[in-house]
C-alpha cells in the first residue's frame, strides 16, 4: 500500500470516528427522552425512564375494585412491561449505530501497532448508570417477588 493511499484511508477512518462520536452524542440526547409505559388491568399505569426505573405510577378511577394483592401484582407487572418497552425503544435507537460500528475496520489493519479505534469509542450497551437518588431493581427482583407481600406485611 502506498503512503498516500494509507494517509487517505487514515483520514477517512478518522472522519468516520468523528461522525460516530457525533452520532453517539445524538443518541445519548434522544435516549434521555425515552420513556416506557404500560397499563395493566386498565387501572394501573407505570412510566419508566430508559433505564427501566419507575418515574410515575397512576391508578385509574376504579382502582378500589381491586384487592391490595391485585393492585400490587398489577403494579409489578406494569413496571416490568414498561421497563421492557423502554428497553425495546433503546435497542431500536441504537441498532443503526451498532450495525455501522460492526463494519468499521480495525486501525491496526492500516497502521501496524495502532490501537483499535473501537476501543476508544464509548460502549454501546444501551444502559446508563442509574440516578444516585433511585434504587434500581433487577428483573429477578421483580419476577421472584410476591406481588402482594409488602402490602400484606405492612398492613396496608
Amino acid at each position: 500500500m502506498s503512503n498516500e493511499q494509507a494517509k487517505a484511508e487514515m483520514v477517512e477512518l478518522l472522519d468516520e470516528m468523528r461522525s460516530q462520536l457525533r452520532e453517539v452524542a445524538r443518541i445519548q440526547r434522544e435516549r434521555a427522552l425515552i420513556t416506557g409505559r404500560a397499563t395493566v388491568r386498565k387501572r394501573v399505569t407505570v412510566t419508566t425512564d430508559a433505564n427501566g426505573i419507575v418515574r410515575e405510577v397512576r391508578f385509574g378511577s376504579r382502582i378500589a375494585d381491586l384487592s391490595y394483592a391485585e393492585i400490587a401484582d398489577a403494579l409489578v407487572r406494569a413496571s416490568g412491561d414498561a421497563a421492557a418497552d423502554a428497553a425495546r425503544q433503546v435497542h431500536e435507537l441504537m441498532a443503526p449505530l451498532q450495525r455501522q460500528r460492526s463494519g468499521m475496520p480495525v486501525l491496526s489493519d492500516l497502521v501496524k501497532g495502532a490501537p483499535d479505534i473501537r476501543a476508544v469509542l464509548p460502549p454501546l450497551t444501551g444502559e446508563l448508570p442509574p440516578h444516585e437518588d433511585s434504587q434500581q431493581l433487577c428483573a429477578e427482583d421483580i419476577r421472584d417477588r410476591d406481588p402482594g407481600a409488602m402490602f400484606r406485611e405492612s398492613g396496608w
Side-chain angles (χ1 to χ4, degrees), residues 102-118:
S102 67
M104 280 185 71
V106 178
L107 184 58
S108 60
D109 290 345
L110 302 173
V111 179
K112 187 173 180 158
D116 182 356
I117 283 185
R118 291 174 286 197

Side-chain angles (χ1 to χ4, degrees), residues 22-77:
R22 283 190 301 274
E23 183 69 3
V24 167
R26 182 194 64 79
I27 286 172
Q28 287 174 333
R29 286 189 305 272
E30 286 186 28
R31 187 185 184 288
L33 301 175
I34 287 177
T35 58
R37 181 168 284 131
T39 300
V40 173
R41 291 180 162 248
K42 298 182 182 179
R43 295 179 184 110
V44 178
T45 300
V46 173
T47 303
T48 67
D49 63 17
N51 290 330
I53 296 171
V54 174
R55 295 297 176 194
E56 181 180 55
V57 175
R58 292 195 178 259
F59 297 116
S61 60
R62 294 184 45 219
I63 193 71
D65 294 346
L66 300 177
S67 71
Y68 292 130
E70 289 171 323
I71 293 169
D73 179 61
L75 184 57
V76 169
R77 288 182 25 220

